[in-house]
Amino acid sequence: MAANDPPSPPEEQCPQLSTTVSSPVVDEEIPGRPEPREEAGPQPVFTSPKWKRDLSSDSEDDLAELLEPDPEPVWSVETLCGLRMTLKRRRVSTVRPEHHKVFTRLLEDPVVKKFLAWDKMLRVSDKYLLSMVIAYFSRAGLFSWQYRPIHFFLALYLANDMEEDNQAPKQDIFYFLYGKSYAQRPMFHKLRFQFIRSMRWRIWVSREECEEIQAYNPELWVWARDRTNLT
C-alpha cells in the first residue's frame, strides 16, 4: 500500500483481495484440473472464448464441456382452436450443472464465505442476486476451472447494478474488499467491463430463470437468504 493511502479498514473487514489482471485472485491449484498453458507475458483473468481455443491442448473434461451442444429450443402449445394451433417458444436455460458446481465451490472460499456472513442484512447478496451470479457464469464463456473469487464479486456487483434501485449498498462490496482505499477500484471496473463483454452484453436475467436456478439444488444454504424473512 502506498504511503499516501488512507488507514486500514476496521478489524472486522476482510483482507484486501487483489484484482490485478496479471494474477488471478486465487492462485492455488484446483484438484483434478489441468494447469493453464504457459504463455509469454502475464496471465489475464479473462481468456479468449472457448470456441477459439486449440482443441488439441485441452483435457478430456474441458473438451466435453466445450463440445457439449447448446440446448435445443422448446415449443409449447399456447392456444388451440379447432385445427388451428398457436405455438410459443419457451425459454431454455443455458445454465448447466458445471456452473452450479463452480458457484458451490466458490461459496467455500474463505473470502466469499466471510463476505456473505458480513452482509447480514442481505443488502447486496440475497438469493435472487446470487442466482444471477450463476446465470452470469453460464454466459461468460470460461471453463469451470478458470473461475476465481474475483469473478464472484464482479458478477454480484453487476447483478446489483441491474436489479437494485438503490445503488449505494453495492459500495459495500468495495468497502469489504479494499476498505477506504480507492486505488483498486479502477481495476475492478476494468475487469467488470471485460466480464460484460465476455457475456456479449447479455446481462438481463429474468425472475423465472433465477427461480429455475434455485430449484436445481433447493437445499443449498444460500437460497435461505430471503429478504422477506428478515425481521
Side-chain angles (χ1 to χ4, degrees):
M1 180 178 295
N4 59 349
D5 280 347
S8 300
E11 293 182 358
E12 70 273 12
Q13 183 180 319
C14 175
Q16 290 193 0
L17 183 66
S18 171
T19 56
T20 55
V21 177
S22 59
S23 176
V25 176
V26 177
D27 294 324
E28 71 269 13
E29 179 182 358
I30 301 176
R33 292 295 187 182
E35 290 292 330
R37 297 190 300 275
E38 293 184 2
E39 298 177 358
Q43 295 293 329
V45 174
F46 295 93
T47 58
S48 58
K50 289 189 283 188
W51 54 270
K52 290 185 179 181
R53 297 176 65 92
D54 180 8
L55 299 184
S56 62
S57 61
D58 289 318
S59 68
E60 293 182 1
D61 290 342
D62 290 337
L63 288 176
E65 184 176 335
L66 174 63
L67 299 176
E68 183 177 348
D70 292 330
E72 293 293 332
V74 177
W75 298 84
S76 60
V77 178
E78 186 176 32
T79 61
L80 182 61
C81 182
L83 298 178
R84 299 183 61 181
M85 179 186 301
T86 303
L87 298 179
K88 179 181 179 181
R89 182 170 180 172
R90 296 172 55 191
R91 186 193 60 79
V92 178
S93 176
T94 59
V95 179
R96 294 168 177 164
E98 56 264 28
H99 304 129
H100 290 275
K101 292 180 181 178
V102 167
F103 179 75
T104 303
R105 170 172 61 82
L106 291 179
L107 289 179
E108 298 303 315
D109 179 83
V111 177
V112 174
K113 186 180 294 186
K114 189 171 184 178
F115 173 79
L116 294 176
W118 182 73
D119 185 27
K120 297 179 181 178
M121 300 306 296
L122 312 183
R123 286 160 54 89
V124 292
S125 61
D126 77 333
K127 64 179 183 178
Y128 286 103
L129 295 172
L130 292 173
S131 300
M132 294 176 68
V133 171
I134 301 179
Y136 290 157
F137 284 174
S138 73
R139 302 174 187 182
L142 299 179
F143 287 123
S144 300
W145 57 269
Q146 292 177 301
Y147 284 101
R148 298 291 187 268
I150 186 57
H151 298 107
F152 175 89
F153 289 105
L154 291 169
L156 188 61
Y157 188 94
L158 181 57
N160 278 270
D161 252 350
M162 290 295 298
E163 293 299 321
E164 296 299 310
D165 295 329
N166 184 4
Q167 295 294 298
K170 70 180 181 181
Q171 301 302 316
D172 290 348
I173 297 176
F174 285 136
Y175 178 77
F176 179 85
L177 296 178
Y178 311 123
K180 297 179 181 179
S181 173
Y182 284 78
Q184 295 277 8
R185 297 192 183 192
M187 178 58 68
F188 185 94
H189 285 301
K190 179 178 180 180
L191 295 177
R192 179 175 63 91
F193 179 71
Q194 292 178 356
F195 191 62
I196 295 173
R197 284 179 52 186
S198 72
M199 294 191 293
R200 300 192 181 109
W201 307 94
R202 297 174 298 156
I203 54 180
W204 183 78
V205 182
S206 68
R207 186 182 183 92
E208 177 189 5
E209 185 171 3
C210 287
E211 292 175 347
E212 288 179 1
I213 289 172
Q214 296 168 27
Y216 177 83
N217 184 9
E219 302 301 322
L220 190 64
W221 62 273
V222 291
W223 305 144
R225 299 174 67 87
D226 191 341
R227 292 177 184 174
T228 60
N229 295 333
L230 295 178
T231 57

